[in-house]
Each structure stands twice: as C-alpha cells, then as structure tokens.
C-alpha cells in the first residue's frame, strides 16, 4: 500500500474538524514522514495541539519547523504567536501576531482575533476594538471564535 499525502492531509483535517485529535495527529505525522520538507504538515499538527491547548512546547517546535521551511507565512506566524501568548510571553506574541496580521493583509479572522486578544491584554484597548470590528466585518457567520470575539468586543465598550 502506498500512502497518499493528499489523502493523509484530508484525513487529518477532517478528523481535527470532527474532534478526533488522535486520528488527526496520526494522519498528520504520517504526512510529515512522507513530506518532511513541506511546511503544511508541521503547521497543521501544531494547530491541532494549539486549539486544544495541549503539548504547547511540541506545538511551538512544529510551528517553528514550519517557519523554517516557509518563512513569513501568516498562518505559521499566527500559530507561533498564539503559543507564545498561551505560554505568557505577551511581548513575543504581540510582535509575531502583528507581523502575521500584516502578512495576511488583515483578512484572516483567526489572526485578527488572536491579535485583538493580545492587544487587549497589553492594555491597547483601542487597537483591540479596531481589530475586533474588522473581525466582525469579515468573518463568516458561525466562525469558530465568533462568540468569543463578540464577547470580548462587548467587554471593551
């Protein structure tokens, strides 16, 4: 049997979406084994851990490996920045998330939300409100962090 990278990635994404992180992790690790020079497997596996707030040291290693393969990618910078936020390094998180937002042209809802959270925690409330307003303007209904973004925006009135 020859494993297909595209199928493994789809299994990983689908399993993650369905809340089956063990299956997602297995498929993504197999993808990485097949394509060790592809950033996407490392970054996606990092995201599986990040969104569940588990194995953050490993998530950071995976995201940094992805960044070494695809420097300056907004999604990767977002992952690295969000891990730093979760680990309490606000300054590092703020720098990385600002760069991720710049790289994405302020069009990625996850990045906007993550940056808004860190800006608010840094006391930069006007910046946070502006980012949340942008998020609410461009994010599709029922976005994964929609309720959290609305709640934060209401707190920042």
């Amino acid at each position: 049997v020859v494993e297909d990278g595209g199928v493994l990635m789809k299994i990983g994404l689908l399993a993650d979406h369905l809340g089956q992180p063990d299956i997602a992790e297995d498929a993504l690790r197999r993808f990485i084994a097949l394509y060790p020079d592809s950033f996407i497997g490392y970054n996606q596996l990092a995201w599986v851990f990040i969104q569940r707030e588990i194995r953050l040291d490993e998530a950071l290693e995976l995201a940094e490996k992805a960044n070494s393969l695809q420097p300056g990618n907004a999604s990767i910078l977002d992952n690295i920045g969000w891990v730093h936020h979760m680990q309490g390094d606000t300054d590092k998180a703020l720098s990385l998330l600002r760069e991720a937002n710049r790289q994405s042209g302020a069009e990625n809802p996850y990045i906007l939300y993550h940056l808004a959270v860190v800006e608010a925690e840094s006391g930069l409330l006007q910046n946070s409100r502006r980012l949340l307003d942008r998020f609410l303007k461009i994010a599709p209904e029922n976005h994964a962090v929609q309720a959290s973004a609305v709640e934060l925006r209401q707190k920042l009135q």
Side-chain angles (χ1 to χ4, degrees), residues 22 25 47 82 100-101 103 109 133 139 143 157:
D22 293 339
E25 179 181 352
W47 179 243
W82 197 240
N101 193 48
Q103 290 290 340
D133 289 344
H143 187 277
Q157 290 293 356

Side-chain angles (χ1 to χ4, degrees), residues 22 32 39 128 139:
D22 293 339
I32 290 168
F39 77 94
S128 183

Side-chain angles (χ1 to χ4, degrees), residues 1-65:
V1 173
V2 177
E3 291 191 312
D4 180 275
V7 171
L8 288 170
M9 181 57 66
K10 288 176 185 172
I11 290 169
L13 294 171
L14 183 59
D16 180 43
H17 180 73
L18 294 174
Q20 299 176 334
D22 293 339
I23 294 171
E25 179 181 352
D26 177 65
L28 292 168
R29 287 196 188 280
R30 289 167 43 203
F31 177 90
I32 290 168
L34 283 174
Y35 301 100
D37 295 328
S38 174
F39 77 94
I40 197 155
Y42 300 99
N43 197 51
Q44 192 60 43
L45 183 54
W47 179 243
V48 168
F49 297 150
I50 291 166
Q51 65 187 334
R52 288 169 179 79
E53 298 183 26
I54 60 171
R55 296 162 60 182
L56 296 179
D57 290 336
E58 184 177 1
L60 184 59
E61 288 176 21
L62 289 161
E64 287 176 341
K65 173 65 176 180

